[in-house]
Amino acid sequence: MDKKYIKTMKKTLGIFALILTIFTSCEVEPIDPALLNNTNNNSGGNNNGGGNNNGGGGGGSNTPVLLTKVIETLTNGDVETTEFFYSGTKILKYTNTTSNSVEETLYTYSGNLITQAKTNLNGVLLETVNFEYDTSLRLKKCTGTYGTTVNVTNYTYNSNGTITFVTNEGSDIVANGTIYVANNQGYKKEIVFDPGTSFEYTEIQETTFDNKVNPFINVTGYAKVELETPSEVLGFSGVANNPVMFKKNNVTRETSTYTYNSNNMPLNEVFTDLVNSNWSGTYQYFYNQ
């Protein structure tokens, strides 16, 4: 589900690489409830793409605050609308609509774990991602099928708190690396692409976060899958807080600034792509209350 994800990785920050990265991570559990302010983690009823963009009224309500819609306006004037649909606090699907396309991602659960994300573009299957978990309910394997291409990423949880991963395409290792975690969310990854070949190179990606509340913090299962395919998704979209800066090899490439609602969740975002200004733009966030 990320900001790059609705575009299939067009960028990192803007609307949190909107999920497909939206739902793709490892052991990143929600943060201390004190950070939630007026948000509420109890299950509520069905929620659709309506709602308002003040996010207020969380206190005293048994319904948790959920993101229902994001409107993105790029610097070239293009407008995209993304709507999120839920059953209680479980994500059912999201749709991304532009002037000439509709992208839809459908989610499947087993209990409270997301086990599959299936994406269609204009009604045609684009990709399917399956998630598997270990006995500690941490993401252990991610299998992505894109046409005839199948990528498999396996994760290892280390005693020092880092997460190592290996991504294979068939018998070939296309990437491996290390993910660093702080405050219950990934913030840095060191990736070796095409290891052991003449094309091998290393890339360091680092994301800086604010201290406010991520719009997806109340979505069941989201924190488990935010790190899917780490070699293909730039940076991190966050599961507790919101990304404000993305660096690659210590060079700043993207920034985001926000205004927040009464629940300390993003209300408006100004996203700046310092590499390709065509991807810069603004985001409006709408919630169910």
Side-chain angles (χ1 to χ4, degrees):
M1 300 170 74
D2 186 89
K3 269 162 254 205
K4 80 188 102 207
Y5 235 20
I6 284 210
K7 290 296 198 215
T8 310
M9 282 135 257
K10 121 185 138 179
K11 56 186 187 259
T12 306
L13 300 182
I15 186 184
F16 315 128
L18 253 194
I19 349 191
L20 250 31
T21 322
I22 235 189
F23 287 123
T24 19
S25 167
C26 300
E27 181 194 349
V28 226
E29 293 299 329
I31 53 175
D32 189 314
L35 259 182
L36 300 182
N37 286 342
N38 291 331
T39 61
N40 187 314
N41 282 306
N42 296 326
S43 295
N46 293 339
N47 299 282
N48 58 28
N52 57 63
N53 70 336
N54 61 30
S61 171
N62 289 324
T63 302
V65 177
L66 296 168
L67 182 69
T68 57
K69 182 167 66 174
V70 177
I71 299 176
E72 172 192 7
T73 304
L74 298 178
T75 53
N76 64 6
D78 288 349
V79 177
E80 298 186 16
T81 300
T82 303
E83 294 182 274
F84 304 89
F85 300 83
Y86 305 88
S87 175
T89 56
K90 293 181 178 180
I91 182 80
L92 295 176
K93 68 175 182 177
Y94 79 83
T95 60
N96 174 252
T97 304
T98 70
S99 60
N100 57 13
S101 69
V102 176
E103 182 177 307
E104 179 181 67
T105 295
L106 305 172
Y107 295 94
T108 300
Y109 280 80
S110 176
N112 289 326
L113 299 174
I114 296 170
T115 55
Q116 186 181 82
K118 183 176 289 187
T119 300
N120 300 299
L121 180 62
N122 294 331
V124 178
L125 179 64
L126 184 65
E127 64 182 341
T128 301
V129 182
N130 292 302
F131 307 101
E132 299 177 34
Y133 302 85
D134 64 18
T135 55
S136 297
L137 304 184
R138 302 173 300 190
L139 185 67
K140 71 173 183 179
K141 184 178 182 180
C142 174
T143 303
T145 303
Y146 318 88
T148 59
T149 300
V150 179
N151 284 341
V152 178
T153 299
N154 289 284
Y155 303 85
T156 300
Y157 297 84
N158 305 309
S159 58
N160 64 357
T162 63
I163 304 164
T164 50
F165 66 90
V166 178
T167 299
N168 290 77
E169 184 176 318
S171 60
D172 296 328
I173 298 178
V174 296
N176 58 38
T178 302
I179 298 167
Y180 297 84
V181 178
N183 298 323
N184 298 311
Q185 59 194 352
Y187 73 95
K188 179 182 178 181
K189 47 189 167 183
E190 298 173 350
I191 308 169
V192 180
F193 293 93
D194 298 315
T197 74
S198 59
F199 302 103
E200 177 179 318
Y201 68 98
T202 299
E203 189 170 283
I204 298 175
Q205 300 177 10
E206 189 164 4
T207 302
T208 303
F209 298 91
D210 62 12
N211 61 354
K212 305 299 184 180
V213 181
N214 190 287
F216 302 112
I217 198 165
N218 289 325
V219 178
T220 300
Y222 167 58
K224 299 287 185 181
V225 297
E226 199 264 338
L227 299 180
E228 175 237 356
T229 320
S231 63
E232 295 182 8
V233 178
L234 292 175
F236 298 95
S237 58
V239 296
N241 310 119
N242 307 296
V244 295
M245 182 182 297
F246 169 69
K247 291 184 177 182
K248 186 164 73 173
N249 295 332
N250 208 34
V251 176
T252 301
R253 299 173 67 91
E254 301 169 359
T255 64
S256 283
T257 57
Y258 304 90
T259 58
Y260 303 92
N261 60 31
S262 60
N263 287 318
N264 283 328
M265 289 175 160
L267 184 63
N268 297 287
E269 175 187 359
V270 177
F271 172 78
T272 302
D273 190 317
L274 300 174
V275 178
N276 184 349
S277 61
N278 289 329
W279 292 126
S280 296
T282 60
Y283 296 84
Q284 295 174 275
Y285 295 82
F286 297 80
Y287 300 86
N288 61 330
Q289 55 181 292

